[in-house]
Amino acid sequence: MQSSNSRPRDVGDGSARSGEHEQDHGPVFAPTAGDVRYEDPWYDALASGWGESDTPSGPAADIPPARRQRQDAGATAARVYLEVQRSAAFQEVRSRYRRFVIPATVGFLLWYVGYVVAATTAPSLMARPVAGAVNVALLAGLGQFLSTFLLTWAYSRHARLRRDRAALEVRWETQELTREAGGGAS
């Protein structure tokens, strides 16, 4: 059976390789001892057919030590992150965040619940006209939108003025500590 592009349907599905499609696509990358290894966890799990040959190229003994080194580096990085989490600078950034977010969240939820409770328990109050067809419920509903935008603005302003610089310093310090713990390789 032929497909619309005149190739047999089973060619190219990854289950079998056709002789007519075997071409030289250039040099196959074979890692050597001096090559740079990426710290990408998917680096060793290349997809089939993306330039590697069917036979293993390069010594198989290189892979386990690299994985062990990565696991050791992961354990070292975990220690670095725990150390940073316990640091006074990180705790200060977190406390500044909490000092804004917790009261803002509680206030906004009270405002929202108050609106819903007033709409269900006091319909005569919410139906009271303010100006023409505009009533209290409409103003309170629009106030919900306005308060959302104001809270977003206040949050971004607070983050910019009170947390961003300190968080950036913690980030750079963490990257330096991680780099040093990993043996100086970046």
Side-chain angles (χ1 to χ4, degrees):
M1 179 181 255
Q2 297 282 325
S3 66
S4 62
N5 61 1
S6 72
R7 288 189 307 168
R9 286 194 188 266
D10 60 342
V11 172
D13 66 353
S15 62
R17 296 190 127 188
S18 170
E20 69 185 44
H21 294 292
E22 291 290 328
Q23 301 175 23
D24 183 23
H25 291 288
V28 174
F29 177 72
T32 60
D35 286 341
V36 175
R37 299 270 308 164
Y38 297 107
E39 293 300 324
D40 184 5
W42 295 101
Y43 185 74
D44 290 333
L46 292 172
S48 175
W50 285 15
E52 72 273 1
S53 63
D54 290 339
T55 61
S57 60
D62 288 342
I63 294 174
R67 287 185 179 161
R68 238 183 277 118
Q69 288 171 355
R70 234 181 296 163
Q71 289 172 350
D72 292 344
T76 305
R79 278 184 255 137
V80 167
Y81 283 108
L82 285 173
E83 178 184 329
V84 168
Q85 185 179 10
R86 293 178 185 127
S87 72
F90 182 82
Q91 294 301 322
E92 179 62 26
V93 170
R94 293 297 295 169
S95 67
R96 288 179 185 180
Y97 171 78
R98 288 185 187 119
R99 280 193 302 252
F100 179 84
V101 169
I102 291 172
T105 302
V106 168
F108 186 78
L109 287 175
L110 287 174
W111 161 233
Y112 176 74
V113 170
Y115 171 72
V116 172
V117 168
T120 56
T121 60
S124 59
L125 170 71
M126 298 300 268
R128 184 171 293 152
V130 175
V134 178
N135 60 14
V136 173
L138 182 63
L139 288 179
L142 291 174
Q144 292 285 318
F145 286 104
L146 179 64
S147 65
T148 302
F149 292 121
L150 286 174
L151 187 59
T152 303
W153 170 80
Y155 176 81
S156 65
R157 183 176 185 274
H158 181 270
R160 186 181 70 242
L161 295 177
R162 306 278 159 90
R163 290 192 326 264
D164 285 351
R165 184 165 304 173
L168 187 60
E169 289 173 7
V170 169
R171 176 182 173 198
W172 284 114
E173 181 181 336
T174 304
Q175 288 179 348
E176 285 297 318
L177 289 172
T178 305
R179 219 175 270 127
E180 290 170 6
S186 54

